[in-house]
Amino acid sequence: RHADAVRTLRSSVELARHLPGGGESGLGVALLELSLAEAAAGDPCAAEASMRRAIDVVTANAGASSPMAIVLHKRLGQMLTEQGRPEEALRALAEARRRIDAQPALPQREDLIVPLLVFEGRALRRLGRLDEAAARFGEAIAVTEGAEVDPSGALFATLGRAQVSTLQGRFEEA
């Protein structure tokens, strides 16, 4: 089934390329969806290539600081962490963070920053940088307190911090 989804999404990418105006809005989304399907189908190289193409398309058409460009960098960071490439993931996540920090009045800022902090925490945990990972998870939890954000971010941050505490032998904190 994943192969069928990938074929269909590749067709969607081609259709979006041929839309009037180059399919600026649809092409980035189609490439994102293709990337996710390729990852699910077990093709991490193709998934990464599609994600990077999506970043290029969105950045060229909507700007480097568009919310979609930020989301795509976060997704790339998540993907690289899952592939066991945490150093590269941290670079992609740092790019997303730089773009968020450049826009203090960014709408839905907290909804963008919380998962970014969780993904940074996961990458740092993979690198064995446990104190830094715990700090990122703590930052994510702090951002969610009193803010109207997706509650799953606080859940994932709390779970991440508990895992780090366990790895550090601080079982009472876990």
Side-chain angles (χ1 to χ4, degrees):
R1 291 207 298 209
H2 292 299
D4 291 338
V6 168
R7 273 191 301 280
T8 300
L9 287 164
R10 283 188 180 140
S11 296
S12 297
V13 167
E14 288 308 310
L15 287 171
R17 275 188 224 278
H18 295 94
L19 289 174
E24 291 92 2
S25 62
L27 183 55
V29 173
L31 285 164
L32 166 62
E33 293 298 327
L34 175 59
S35 173
L36 298 175
E38 290 167 334
D43 192 347
C45 292
E48 180 182 347
S50 294
M51 186 67 71
R52 290 186 185 279
R53 284 176 38 217
I55 290 169
D56 290 344
V57 166
V58 169
T59 299
N61 294 299
S65 296
S66 73
M68 183 65 167
I70 293 167
V71 167
L72 291 171
H73 274 91
K74 285 189 318 182
R75 289 284 193 158
L76 177 61
Q78 178 185 14
M79 181 182 295
L80 293 169
T81 298
E82 291 168 356
Q83 292 176 6
R85 298 161 56 194
E87 285 115 358
E88 292 174 70
L90 286 173
R91 284 193 291 277
L93 295 167
E95 183 61 27
R97 183 180 267 227
R98 186 186 66 73
R99 292 170 188 220
I100 291 170
D101 290 346
Q103 301 178 76
L106 184 68
Q108 301 170 333
R109 182 181 173 84
E110 290 84 7
D111 282 325
L112 292 170
I113 195 75
V114 170
L116 178 120
L117 291 165
V118 170
F119 297 150
E120 284 180 343
R122 289 176 181 170
L124 290 163
R125 184 181 63 217
R126 278 197 167 219
L127 289 170
R129 293 163 53 185
L130 300 181
D131 289 337
E132 291 174 81
R136 290 304 191 291
F137 292 129
E139 284 179 63
I141 293 166
V143 169
T144 64
E145 292 172 355
E148 292 186 31
V149 296
D150 179 359
S152 66
L155 171 65
F156 291 122
T158 302
L159 290 171
R161 189 167 64 179
Q163 290 169 342
V164 168
S165 294
T166 300
L167 290 169
Q168 293 176 320
R170 298 191 329 242
F171 302 107
E172 67 285 347
E173 291 179 28

